[in-house]
Amino acid sequence: EQGLSVPELAQKLAVNDAEIIKTLFMKGIVTTVNQTLDEETIKLVCQEFNVEVLTSGSVKVEDMVKKTEILDEEDLESLETRPPVVTIMGHVDHGKTSLLDFIRKSKVAASEAGGITQGIGAYKVSVMVDGAKQSCVFLDTPGHEAFTAMRARGAQVTDVAVIVVAADDGVKPQTQEAIAHARAASVPIVVAINKIDKEGAERERVMQELSGIGLMPEDWGGDVPMIPVSALKGENVDSLLETIMLVAEFQELKANPNRSAKGTVIESCLDKTKGVLATLLVQNGTLRKGDVVLCGEAYGKIRALLDDTGTRVETAGPSTAVQVFGLSSVPIAGEMFEVLDSLEAAREQAEICAETSRLARLAAQAAEGKVTLASFT
Ligand code: GTP
Ligand code: MG
């Protein structure tokens, strides 16, 4: 069977349904969520998202290569090494937060509502590699099924995906989903076989299950490092970190700190007393207090930046996540942000974006017969 529904394509591209509908609307094609998109239409959308469809016929996740470039041509002369951004993914309760907790030597899980990770937290940690201190940014993605879309975005901003699999539970649907997302984004995978301290832990079985879905362990001659760990006891976590840094180093990650910032919105919310809060991951350039930021329909002059420890900072360079204050409205998590020269220019662009979204929404509703075309005026 050929073609994909809007939600299917959205998931493969790690965007939301509305973004697909909006993209097509901009090209003069009115679609509803329930419609099946043919290959030509899929290619049209993929082009907009800088994703190449590698094979014709049935379109698979693995067939798509994300090509969005965060670096511009002008950056090439002033590139500097940047820390890797690592995402921890995996099935519910397999130990993602515990692993990150141990890495950060802190206790995030205890303070979380219901023990479930609610947003994407971003933390910079120091790792000793060959006696030298190097840094690394971890994104803790939520494990609950309801957060699938958010997790999909995690793989997009990330340089290395750590897939946590509990050795007493094995490969689960969300493990497979996480692997699919990492593959779709062409992100190298490191597997952490967790809970090896537990009775009933079967490391070999996990490796077997993973090789069954195309992840061949390095130990068996494949190319995927699989490190047995205990997040609870901290056992072998050093070795996991070393492996992550090695995989990252191989990619020669670089950015140009001497330009205006560009990156992705990691999470956002409206705080009753503080107003709009957004966590931005700077992927290229340097973000400064006072910069005018545009992210989709939201824009504003950045009044303050807080780092992952809640400390006020003046600037944030490549591979740094900061919470910012000063945006006009709550930006969508996963949206790209950029710095513009003036507040006026940002407002103009934000308004264009808002208007396009409004029209696309109306177009979709009109196609479903919910509103008449008269609502467009
Ligand atoms: P979600 O965010 O809800 O998806 O879960 P998570 O993957 O972040 O799992 P979390 O770290 O919250 O751990 C789930 C449970 O497994 C907790 O009770 C942890 O104490 C336990 N756990 C995590 N790692 C280990 C481990 O290495 N060994 C043992 N014995 N228990 C572990
Ligand atoms: Mg968690």
Side-chain angles (χ1 to χ4, degrees):
E1 195 201 315
Q2 300 199 352
L4 291 171
S5 69
V6 170
E8 278 167 348
L9 181 61
Q11 219 207 0
K12 285 176 196 296
L13 294 175
V15 298
N16 57 37
D17 300 352
E19 283 170 276
I20 302 282
I21 292 170
K22 179 169 147 187
T23 304
L24 284 170
F25 177 77
M26 290 303 283
K27 296 194 169 289
I29 302 170
V30 177
T31 24
T32 63
V33 173
N34 309 316
Q35 214 161 312
T36 301
L37 308 175
D38 61 17
E39 201 177 319
E40 201 182 319
T41 314
I42 292 168
K43 280 193 173 149
L44 211 60
V45 176
C46 289
Q47 220 169 21
E48 269 323 282
F49 286 97
N50 283 319
V51 169
E52 200 178 354
V53 182
L54 290 182
T55 57
S56 53
S58 65
V59 186
K60 293 209 193 93
V61 179
E62 287 86 355
D63 301 332
M64 296 184 177
V65 180
K66 186 93 187 145
K67 289 196 308 181
T68 304
E69 284 298 337
I70 203 85
L71 299 179
D72 297 332
E73 201 134 328
E74 70 204 63
D75 294 325
L76 299 180
E77 279 160 30
S78 24
L79 291 180
E80 291 177 24
T81 301
R82 64 168 177 84
V85 178
V86 180
T87 307
I88 298 184
M89 300 193 284
H91 197 70
V92 180
D93 277 352
H94 278 198
K96 300 174 292 294
T97 302
S98 303
L99 183 60
L100 190 61
D101 273 356
F102 182 81
I103 291 169
R104 298 172 57 220
K105 296 264 190 295
S106 70
K107 295 273 170 226
V108 181
S111 62
E112 279 171 10
I116 291 183
T117 309
Q118 292 294 342
I120 302 183
Y123 314 97
K124 194 165 239 172
V125 301
S126 294
V127 181
M128 291 297 279
V129 181
D130 296 333
K133 209 160 118 181
Q134 293 186 14
S135 59
C136 180
V137 178
F138 278 91
L139 299 184
D140 180 23
T141 57
H144 197 273
E145 229 164 322
F147 297 118
T148 302
M150 227 194 266
R151 193 170 57 240
R153 296 194 184 99
Q156 251 185 340
V157 294
T158 191
D159 302 307
V160 180
V162 175
I163 310 284
V164 178
V165 189
D168 62 336
D169 203 23
V171 172
K172 294 280 155 199
Q174 283 177 51
T175 317
Q176 298 205 30
E177 222 175 85
I179 292 169
H181 285 313
R183 279 177 167 166
S186 301
V187 174
I189 292 171
V190 173
V191 173
I193 302 178
N194 191 30
K195 307 198 185 183
I196 50 161
D197 61 288
K198 262 183 107 165
E199 214 172 299
E202 289 184 82
R203 185 188 154 190
E204 297 266 319
R205 201 194 79 199
V206 173
M207 289 163 76
Q208 214 131 39
E209 286 175 353
L210 288 169
S211 58
I213 54 169
L215 287 195
M216 193 52 77
E218 265 184 353
D219 285 2
W220 296 353
D223 58 1
V224 183
M226 298 191 184
I227 317 296
V229 296
S230 165
L232 201 67
K233 308 214 157 131
E235 203 178 323
N236 222 21
V237 174
D238 276 357
S239 156
L240 174 68
L241 288 173
E242 262 169 47
T243 306
I244 292 168
M245 295 310 276
L246 211 71
V247 169
E249 207 177 283
F250 195 69
Q251 299 183 70
E252 298 182 17
L253 303 167
K254 295 201 160 47
N256 172 13
N258 307 309
R259 53 158 289 163
S260 59
K262 240 170 121 170
T264 302
V265 179
I266 299 295
E267 59 184 337
S268 55
C269 67
L270 184 63
D271 185 276
K272 271 188 204 129
T273 55
K274 295 176 192 146
V276 176
L277 299 179
T279 303
L280 306 181
L281 175 70
V282 178
Q283 292 171 280
N284 194 18
T286 299
L287 184 67
R288 293 163 202 285
K289 188 177 159 188
D291 275 350
V292 172
V293 163
L294 171 71
C295 24
E297 298 176 24
Y299 69 97
K301 202 184 194 92
I302 302 304
R303 280 188 282 112
L305 291 80
L306 298 183
D307 69 10
D308 56 359
T309 63
T311 312
R312 267 174 194 261
V313 290
E314 294 293 311
T315 62
S319 296
T320 309
V322 277
Q323 192 173 56
V324 301
F325 301 78
L327 292 177
S328 59
S329 59
V330 182
I332 301 167
E335 187 106 56
M336 297 282 301
F337 77 85
E338 62 180 329
V339 169
L340 296 193
D341 287 338
S342 74
L343 204 56
E344 202 41 57
R347 179 183 303 133
E348 219 167 87
Q349 294 230 26
E351 277 167 9
I352 292 171
C353 181
E355 180 61 9
T356 321
S357 299
R358 190 183 73 85
L359 288 174
R361 264 195 310 275
L362 282 173
Q365 286 170 2
E368 285 171 5
K370 284 185 190 151
V371 294
T372 64
L373 283 173
S375 340
F376 281 83
T377 52

